[in-house]
Amino acid sequence: MQQISRRTFLSCATGAAATWCGCVGAPKANPAVTEELRRQIDDGLVYGGVCGLVGGAFYAEGLQWFRPAQKLMAADSIFDLASVGKTFTAFLCAKLVGEGKMDPDAPFTKYLPQHVLAKEACDITVRDLAMHTGGFDNSKPYIVDDPAEFNRRLYLKRPVRPRGVKFDYACSNYIYLGRIVENLMGMDLEAAAKRYIWDPLGMKDTCWHNIPNHPRAVQNGLNGAPPIGIKGDEQARAYPKAMGNGAAFSTAADMLRFADAILHRRLLSKEAYDLLYTCCYEVNGDRRSFGWDMRASKTPKGWSARTISHGGFTGNTLAIDPENGYAGVVLTNRRGDWGKGYEGRKRLLSLMVGAQIG
C-alpha cells in the first residue's frame, strides 16, 4: 500500500492549488482504509484504486493496468472518470447562472434552439436536465459513427414522460447541458473547462480528449476494455469532441483540487454554489441538487444529509459534505458488480473520515 500525506501532495502542487490550507505536519494514514482497499482488490471488485480526502492521507493500491503488462497503481495514475465528468458540466452551468447568463428555470430550448422541442411549447427547464427530472430516459438512439447524424438524432430525442414525475438518469441531459455551455460561452466544452476550472485550480492532468497509450493511464476493463487512454463511454467514443455527459480523464490529486474548490467555495459566486448544494428535487427517496446526487443511499456513513456526490461507471466517486467539511475522492478501475463497487467506494469514504462501518 502506498500512502501519501497531504503535505507531500501539496508540495507537488503549483499556483492557486498550493495554498489549500495552512496545516502543519502530515495527517496520519488510517490502516482501516488500507485494509478495505486491499479487501476490495482481493474480492475482485476492483483491479486497483487511489483514494484521498482533502486534509487527509492519500492511498494507492493494486494494478494500474492488466494488459499487455501489469504495473502498480500510483498516486498520479490517470483514470477515465466516466460520469463523474458530469460535475464539470454542472460547475460550468453554475458559473453561467451566477453570472446572470443562464436562468436555471428557463426552458432549456431557450439556450439550445437546435432541439426539436424548441419549435414546440417546451416546459423542461435547465434545472430539470441537471437533476435528471425532465422526462428524458436513458435511451441513446444517437450513437452512430457519423457526427452529423449523431447530432441530428440527439436533437430529435423526445421525453417519455412529463417533467418532474420521476428521476430518470439520462446521459443525454448532460450532453444537452454541455451544448448549452458551448452556445453561451462561445467555445467548445473542453476549452471552457480548461479556462474556467482546470487551469485556475492547477489541474494539469485533467482533460476531455483521449490520451492513447499514456504511460500513467489506467486500463479500463469495462465497456469492451478499450485500449489504454481511450474513453470507455460509447457515446464519447462515437463523437469526436468533448460532451457534457462525462468521460474526462483525471487523477485523484486533481479531483481533490476540484473538490476543495467546491467545499471552500472558490472560483464561483455564492449563488452558483447555493445552486450546487441545494436539494431541489425530493420524490420517493430521490434527492437531487443541480448536478449532484443527495440520496441517503449514496451518502457514505459518517457524512451528513447535505452531502453531494457523483459516481462513475468505471468505478469512481466524488463526494463533498459542506456540513462536516469533508471532501474526498475514490478512483478505481472496477471489475466487479456495479452496486457492490459503489458500496465499496462509500466504505472507503466513510473510513477516511473516521466513521465505523461495522
Side-chain angles (χ1 to χ4, degrees), residues 3-12 17 19-23 25-27 53-58 256 260 264:
Q3 298 173 345
I4 301 170
S5 73
R6 187 166 185 257
R7 184 178 184 180
T8 301
F9 166 63
L10 286 176
S11 72
C12 298
T19 64
W20 276 15
C21 79
C23 62
L53 192 74
V54 170
F58 210 72
L256 285 176
D260 180 80
H264 294 110

Side-chain angles (χ1 to χ4, degrees), residues 38 78 93 105 117 197 231 281 283 296 314:
R38 286 178 174 165
I78 298 175
C93 287
D105 296 312
L117 295 181
I197 308 174
K231 299 173 184 179
Y281 182 86
V283 176
T314 48

Side-chain angles (χ1 to χ4, degrees), residues 90-350:
F91 193 89
L92 291 169
C93 287
K95 174 181 171 62
L96 289 165
V97 171
E99 294 173 348
K101 298 175 181 176
M102 175 193 288
D103 178 358
D105 296 312
F108 82 95
T109 51
K110 174 181 178 180
Y111 307 110
L112 196 69
Q114 302 97 312
H115 200 282
V116 65
L117 295 181
K119 302 174 183 177
E120 305 171 15
C122 177
D123 62 352
I124 301 169
T125 68
V126 172
R127 193 191 304 267
D128 291 331
L129 296 184
M131 298 188 302
H132 299 286
T133 59
F136 291 104
D137 66 5
N138 204 26
S139 62
K140 299 161 186 173
Y142 45 80
I143 298 182
V144 291
D145 290 334
D146 178 62
E149 180 64 12
F150 183 106
N151 285 334
R152 189 187 75 82
R153 296 188 186 189
L154 174 69
Y155 294 137
L156 286 175
K157 183 178 176 181
R158 291 181 173 274
V160 298
R161 62 180 63 87
R163 63 179 289 265
V165 172
K166 179 184 177 183
F167 162 71
D168 196 353
Y169 191 92
C171 285
S172 55
N173 290 329
Y174 275 75
I175 298 177
Y176 295 145
L177 289 175
R179 298 294 174 84
I180 289 171
V181 168
E182 292 182 331
N183 284 351
L184 292 179
M185 290 189 170
M187 64 182 74
D188 68 61
L189 193 61
E190 182 163 28
K194 181 174 172 58
R195 177 178 297 183
Y196 296 115
I197 308 174
W198 305 335
D199 282 355
L201 296 177
M203 297 171 64
K204 295 184 177 181
D205 284 322
T206 304
C207 65
W208 228 316
H209 56 268
N210 286 323
I211 48 172
N213 298 313
H214 193 291
R216 291 188 283 119
V218 168
Q219 175 73 58
N220 171 20
L222 305 172
N223 289 331
I228 292 171
I230 302 300
K231 299 173 184 179
D233 179 69
E234 298 95 333
Q235 299 157 101
R237 291 204 300 261
Y239 197 77
K241 294 174 60 179
M243 291 192 296
N245 68 302
F249 291 92
S250 191
T251 63
D254 272 8
M255 294 308 291
L256 285 176
R257 290 181 173 96
F258 182 54
D260 180 80
I262 296 174
L263 178 64
H264 294 110
R265 293 176 173 246
R266 296 171 47 218
L267 296 184
L268 301 185
S269 67
K270 179 183 182 300
E271 181 182 5
Y273 280 112
D274 288 347
L275 185 71
L276 299 179
Y277 278 126
T278 302
C279 180
C280 297
Y281 182 86
E282 189 165 4
V283 176
N284 297 325
D286 290 321
R287 301 180 70 243
R288 305 290 302 187
S289 74
F290 191 101
W292 294 82
D293 202 325
M294 298 185 76
R295 286 176 288 181
S297 62
K298 301 302 181 185
T299 302
K301 187 175 181 180
W303 296 56
S304 80
R306 293 182 61 201
T307 298
I308 58 174
S309 66
H310 209 298
F313 183 78
T314 48
N316 314 306
T317 298
L318 179 66
I320 301 157
D321 180 354
E323 183 169 311
N324 288 312
Y326 301 151
V329 65
V330 180
L331 303 180
T332 72
N333 47 350
R334 181 175 66 85
R335 63 188 296 193
D337 178 78
W338 180 89
K340 291 179 180 178
Y342 209 117
E343 289 300 311
R345 299 193 297 276
K346 283 170 55 182
R347 288 196 298 272
L348 288 166
L349 287 163
S350 294

